[in-house]
């Protein structure tokens, strides 16, 4: 059944009124008819099975048949601080990261990013990113939409992350500690921040600055992972270790 995240206020009791792009999606793209059913998600963890009642130019009206709490969110909340990447690679990280179970994404402008400044990240691009996260969350059956933060400078990102939970910065030159050891040594934290560098990796000064903020450098093993792979591999390993991935 088709699933859509909708603004919670669209549901009043067992009545639903939908407006905007979703009307076009339901009427013209999916060609749905009164009597057809779909699942509506209000981002609070509730799923609403609804039956379409009327479809007109501006609105779709439906009635709630049944609702239930979705148990699809991971117990550990991972925030991925991802260095801004060239071209479509960031889109890919958002789509796959949402499927895997990442709960928040922070685009980070690091020293070796090809993107010159935060102003270079256009509104069109962040709107496209929002759409990618919503579609991936609907496809994956997520109960809540991952949060997509505004792009941040590296210095601001390590300050923000340092305030809550366990923060890790995978670094290909790290020789002391690897991810598994750190996950086993440090008390189970339900809030994890993961810093992944851009194509050129992090500069050493950034690793030093992060370490001074209590962010732990870790190795992800002897092979160099591409920037768009490393965050997904690390998040999968963490969720698996915490029992959130099968
Ligand atoms: N030049 C390669 C590329 O074109 O994708 C390497 C990218 S660089 C290594 C991207 C980021 O991936 C690094 O900043 C680091 O966060 C992470 N990374 C990749 N392989 C890693 C490893 N074996 N151990 C720790 N971190 C790694």
């Amino acid at each position: 059944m088709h699933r859509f995240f909708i603004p919670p206020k669209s549901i009043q009791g067992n009545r639903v009124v939908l407006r905007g792009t979703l009307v076009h999606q339901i009427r013209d793209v999916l060609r749905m008819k009164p009597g057809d059913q779909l699942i509506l998600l209000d981002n609070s963890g509730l799923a609403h099975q609804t039956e379409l009642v009327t479809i007109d130019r501006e609105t779709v009206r439906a009635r709630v048949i049944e609702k239930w709490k979705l148990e699809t969110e991971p117990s550990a909340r991972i925030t991925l601080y991802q260095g801004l990447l060239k071209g479509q690679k960031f889109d890919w990280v958002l789509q796959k990261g949402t499927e895997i179970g990442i709960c928040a994404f922070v685009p980070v402008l690091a020293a070796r990013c090809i993107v010159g400044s935060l102003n270079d990240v256009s509104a069109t691009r962040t709107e496209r990113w929002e759409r990618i996260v919503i579609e991936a969350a609907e496809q994956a059956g997520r109960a809540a939409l991952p949060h997509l933060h505004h792009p941040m400078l590296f210095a601001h990102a390590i300050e923000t992350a340092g305030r809550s939970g366990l923060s890790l910065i995978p670094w290909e030159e790290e020789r002391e500690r690897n991810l598994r050891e750190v996950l086993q040594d440090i008390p189970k934290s339900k809030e994890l921040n993961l810093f992944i560098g851009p194509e050129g990796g992090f500069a050493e000064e950034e690793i030093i600055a992060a370490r001074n903020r209590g962010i732990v450098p870790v190795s992800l093993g002897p092979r160099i992972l591409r920037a768009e792979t490393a965050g997904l591999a690390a998040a999968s390993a963490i969720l698996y270790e915490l029992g959130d991935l099968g």
Side-chain angles (χ1 to χ4, degrees):
M1 216 180 274
H2 294 291
R3 280 185 286 258
F4 296 106
F5 278 97
I6 57 163
K9 64 181 185 337
S10 310
I11 302 179
Q12 303 295 331
N14 74 345
R15 289 163 186 268
V16 182
V17 180
L18 304 173
R19 293 193 170 82
T21 54
L22 198 45
V23 174
H24 162 69
Q25 179 77 8
I26 288 170
R27 185 190 56 217
D28 310 328
V29 180
L30 300 172
R31 297 184 175 287
M32 298 183 85
K33 299 275 175 286
D36 290 348
Q37 298 192 3
L38 68 164
I39 306 265
L40 298 177
L41 308 160
D42 64 8
N43 213 11
S44 74
L46 281 177
H48 306 258
Q49 184 169 348
T50 61
E51 181 181 282
L52 301 180
V53 178
T54 61
I55 302 175
D56 59 38
R57 234 167 56 75
E58 304 284 328
T59 58
V60 167
R61 292 177 194 282
R63 68 184 182 84
V64 176
I65 299 168
E66 193 192 339
K67 67 180 174 189
W68 61 92
K69 187 126 189 59
L70 277 172
E71 305 296 348
T72 53
E73 286 306 295
S75 60
R77 285 187 58 75
I78 296 178
T79 297
L80 177 61
Y81 289 80
Q82 172 70 57
L84 283 160
L85 304 174
K86 266 192 319 192
Q88 311 275 316
K89 287 187 250 179
F90 206 89
D91 300 15
W92 199 83
V93 170
L94 292 174
Q95 186 190 59
K96 305 306 172 195
T98 298
E99 278 175 52
I100 288 167
I102 289 172
C103 290
F105 299 94
V106 183
V108 173
L109 184 63
R112 293 181 183 161
C113 282
I114 291 155
V115 177
S117 88
L118 292 181
N119 303 332
D120 296 349
V121 182
S122 67
T124 325
R125 196 165 181 203
T126 50
E127 279 156 23
R128 186 179 76 238
W129 287 347
E130 287 281 358
R131 274 200 309 281
I132 288 167
V133 168
I134 292 170
E135 282 162 18
E138 287 167 350
Q139 184 273 329
R142 298 279 307 255
L145 279 174
H147 185 63
L148 179 60
H149 292 261
H150 290 296
M152 269 183 208
L153 294 174
F154 181 82
H156 183 209
I158 56 173
E159 193 202 313
T160 308
R163 291 195 209 114
S164 68
L166 165 66
S167 296
L168 306 175
I169 186 162
W171 186 35
E172 60 277 16
E173 290 166 36
E174 172 60 30
R175 297 285 172 269
E176 308 290 318
R177 312 190 75 177
N178 67 41
L179 181 60
R180 173 180 274 276
E181 282 160 18
V182 168
L183 289 177
Q184 284 169 352
D185 296 356
I186 293 186
K188 294 274 178 283
S189 171
K190 289 300 178 194
E191 289 281 332
L192 287 114
N193 303 305
L194 198 51
F195 280 76
I196 298 291
E199 288 84 347
F202 286 118
E204 184 137 8
E205 313 81 73
E206 290 173 320
I207 298 295
I208 294 164
R211 206 185 264 133
N212 294 342
R213 287 260 174 205
I215 300 174
V216 185
V218 293
S219 168
L220 297 178
R223 293 170 297 286
I224 301 294
L225 308 177
R226 285 179 171 279
E228 66 271 26
T229 314
L232 304 174
S236 302
I238 292 167
L239 290 173
Y240 178 78
E241 188 69 26
L242 298 176
D244 269 319
L245 205 63

